[in-house]
Amino acid sequence: MNDIAKLIENNNDTIINMWEEKVIKEIEVSKNTKSLVLRNQLPHLLNDIAVILEGQDDLINIKNEESYQGILTNSEDHGRHRATTLNYTIASILEEYVVFNEVITAFLRERNSYDVNVGLVLHYVIQTAMVQSARSFSDSINDMKEKLISMLAHDIRNPLSAAKVALEMLKTETDIHEIHEVSKMTATSLDFSLKLIEGLLDAITIEAGEGITLNFKECDLLKDIRWVVEETRLIFPNTIIENFHASQIIGVFDGMAIRRILENLITNAVKYGTSKEPITIAVSDLGDQTRISVHNFGEPIPEHKQDEIFDYLKSNKRVKKEGIKSWGLGLSLVKTVTEAHGGTVKVLSNEELGTEFQISLLKNIIKSGKIKTQLT
């Protein structure tokens, strides 16, 4: 089968182009998927098939081939990526592989290079890839749900804790003005908790490629930022410094979503920073955009990990010495919400200067209303 292997290897692009054209024509969900995303791991899978066919006369030793392990790895990655691609299902993945088999078979038949043994190898390998990909897809969706639910459940604790602390501050001799302020703080925290519970219910029914619903409306974002800072001061013992270069920030935002990601960043600063040094929250109004940063001192994030921490697929989990784990989905949410606002997020981290997360948000890129944004 050496000649067939070389034929496939030398025509990888041609076969993948044929596959892409046929998939877009036959599988509805693929029509709105970018070419690079659609192809994903399949060119690598095709190369592995070519290597397996090289010198292969039967199915007995396929599992011992190094490229067979590549088949497993690439199809697993394919399934994971499809789990974050809008509207994909297990059926869509299986259809993709069926078309993949049909295209390779047709390509080889047209060149008189297809026989029973080649068919058996292709059938076995592609079926294996289908099963591996479908399993990975299903596991990823379940994993995403579990992490999102866990993260939302954790987020709910903060406003509830703030409400509890506020109520505990009330005493019989408390004056009416202070009672009014504490009641207002408690009501706001409980309202935020109820909205998070709605998000929790959404998370339970999340499907492939879906993310979270964002509700954009004109607001003063600085009020939401101040609310988070005051709430976290009630909950955490760390010193939190405000460095605000604006009296207000008017724009179209999802204020609740910004609260959540800021709360997430401050919580991480508490977890991974040193309690001896303050956490600094800086806000700047830059005209058509606003910049928010959260800085802490402590153990830095390794440079080679700084890009990965925002990627859910990497499933990065930083572990502190005390054993506290951080779900990778938290920072994926930060990236998702930031990009939905037309913005960017980056991290700067080293031992000398500490760790700083910087978020830039465009003020008026989205019209008021609800949108569904994909979880990155």
Side-chain angles (χ1 to χ4, degrees), residues 220 222-223 226 244-249 285:
D220 179 2
L222 198 60
K223 288 184 178 179
R226 289 190 187 281
F244 295 170
H245 301 284
S247 58
Q248 62 177 10
I249 298 174
D285 187 348

Side-chain angles (χ1 to χ4, degrees), residues 190-206:
L190 292 176
D191 182 55
F192 189 33
S193 299
L194 290 173
K195 289 179 179 177
L196 286 173
I197 289 171
E198 290 177 12
L200 188 62
L201 296 174
D202 285 342
I204 292 171
T205 58
I206 192 170

Side-chain angles (χ1 to χ4, degrees), residues 287-339:
D288 63 345
Q289 62 178 296
T290 184
R291 182 173 297 156
I292 307 168
S293 66
V294 177
H295 175 273
N296 67 271
F297 288 98
E299 185 180 349
I301 303 169
E303 188 172 351
H304 68 282
K305 292 286 187 182
Q306 289 178 19
D307 288 333
E308 293 182 4
I309 58 175
F310 298 104
D311 187 355
Y312 162 68
L313 291 176
K314 300 290 185 182
S315 291
N316 181 62
K317 296 178 183 179
R318 293 176 62 207
V319 183
K320 198 180 177 185
K321 291 178 183 177
E322 289 84 355
I324 300 174
K325 293 184 178 180
S326 172
W327 292 111
L329 200 59
L331 290 177
S332 294
L333 180 69
V334 171
K335 183 178 180 183
T336 296
V337 171
T338 300
E339 290 181 346

Side-chain angles (χ1 to χ4, degrees), residues 170-185:
L170 291 175
K171 299 176 182 176
T172 53
E173 66 272 16
T174 305
D175 63 50
I176 190 67
H177 175 71
E178 189 174 345
I179 290 174
H180 176 73
E181 289 301 312
V182 170
S183 298
K184 185 178 175 182
M185 184 187 302

Side-chain angles (χ1 to χ4, degrees), residues 41-84:
Q41 301 295 319
L42 290 186
H44 303 302
L45 187 67
L46 190 57
N47 280 335
D48 288 333
I49 288 173
V51 174
I52 286 175
L53 285 170
E54 192 172 350
Q56 187 71 46
D57 295 320
D58 53 53
L59 300 175
I60 297 174
N61 297 314
I62 282 184
K63 287 189 177 182
N64 297 326
E65 293 279 345
E66 186 177 338
S67 292
Y68 180 80
Q69 298 305 314
I71 295 284
L72 299 179
T73 300
N74 285 317
S75 53
E76 181 179 350
D77 288 345
H78 183 76
R80 280 175 64 80
H81 279 274
R82 284 295 184 259
T84 60

Side-chain angles (χ1 to χ4, degrees), residues 52-314:
I52 286 175
L53 285 170
E54 192 172 350
Q56 187 71 46
D57 295 320
D58 53 53
L59 300 175
I60 297 174
N61 297 314
I62 282 184
K63 287 189 177 182
N64 297 326
E65 293 279 345
E66 186 177 338
S67 292
Y68 180 80
Q69 298 305 314
I71 295 284
L72 299 179
T73 300
N74 285 317
S75 53
E76 181 179 350
D77 288 345
H78 183 76
R80 280 175 64 80
H81 279 274
R82 284 295 184 259
T84 60
T85 305
L86 191 62
N87 296 329
Y88 261 82
T89 64
I90 288 180
S92 306
I93 292 178
L94 298 181
E95 286 181 80
E96 285 186 338
Y97 282 107
V98 169
V99 172
F100 193 53
N101 189 26
E102 289 174 353
V103 167
I104 299 173
T105 300
F107 176 84
L108 294 177
R109 284 188 187 280
E110 287 174 6
R111 289 153 183 80
N112 298 317
S113 299
Y114 186 88
D115 60 28
V116 173
N117 285 333
V118 170
L120 287 173
V121 172
L122 285 177
H123 183 73
Y124 179 78
V125 169
I126 292 175
Q127 272 200 335
T128 299
M130 289 170 74
V131 171
Q132 189 76 358
S133 226
R135 181 187 295 120
S136 176
F137 177 92
S138 179
D139 288 347
S140 294
I141 294 296
N142 290 333
D143 187 42
M144 190 186 301
K145 285 182 180 180
E146 180 184 324
K147 288 182 178 181
L148 192 54
I149 290 168
S150 174
M151 184 182 66
L152 280 163
H154 177 272
D155 288 350
I156 289 169
R157 285 196 318 214
N158 282 353
L160 288 178
S161 297
K164 182 174 182 291
V165 170
L167 290 172
E168 288 174 348
M169 291 166 57
L170 291 175
K171 299 176 182 176
T172 53
E173 66 272 16
T174 305
D175 63 50
I176 190 67
H177 175 71
E178 189 174 345
I179 290 174
H180 176 73
E181 289 301 312
V182 170
S183 298
K184 185 178 175 182
M185 184 187 302
T186 304
T188 303
S189 294
L190 292 176
D191 182 55
F192 189 33
S193 299
L194 290 173
K195 289 179 179 177
L196 286 173
I197 289 171
E198 290 177 12
L200 188 62
L201 296 174
D202 285 342
I204 292 171
T205 58
I206 192 170
E207 299 299 335
E210 290 188 1
I212 55 176
T213 299
L214 297 182
N215 188 12
F216 286 84
K217 60 183 179 181
E218 187 172 85
C219 63
D220 179 2
L221 188 63
L222 198 60
K223 288 184 178 179
D224 290 291
I225 295 171
R226 289 190 187 281
W227 186 89
V228 174
V229 172
E230 291 306 315
E231 182 187 72
T232 50
R233 278 179 174 153
L234 286 173
I235 299 168
F236 301 122
N238 305 60
T239 300
I240 298 178
I241 297 175
E242 295 178 16
N243 189 7
F244 295 170
H245 301 284
S247 58
Q248 62 177 10
I249 298 174
I250 305 297
V252 178
F253 306 100
D254 182 327
M256 192 184 99
I258 301 300
R259 285 190 198 182
R260 287 192 62 202
I261 66 173
L262 183 56
E263 194 174 73
N264 183 283
L265 292 176
I266 295 174
T267 300
N268 279 348
V270 171
K271 283 182 181 180
Y272 303 116
T274 172
S275 58
K276 298 177 182 178
E277 299 287 346
I279 295 167
T280 302
I281 316 298
V283 180
S284 300
D285 187 348
L286 305 176
D288 63 345
Q289 62 178 296
T290 184
R291 182 173 297 156
I292 307 168
S293 66
V294 177
H295 175 273
N296 67 271
F297 288 98
E299 185 180 349
I301 303 169
E303 188 172 351
H304 68 282
K305 292 286 187 182
Q306 289 178 19
D307 288 333
E308 293 182 4
I309 58 175
F310 298 104
D311 187 355
Y312 162 68
L313 291 176
K314 300 290 185 182

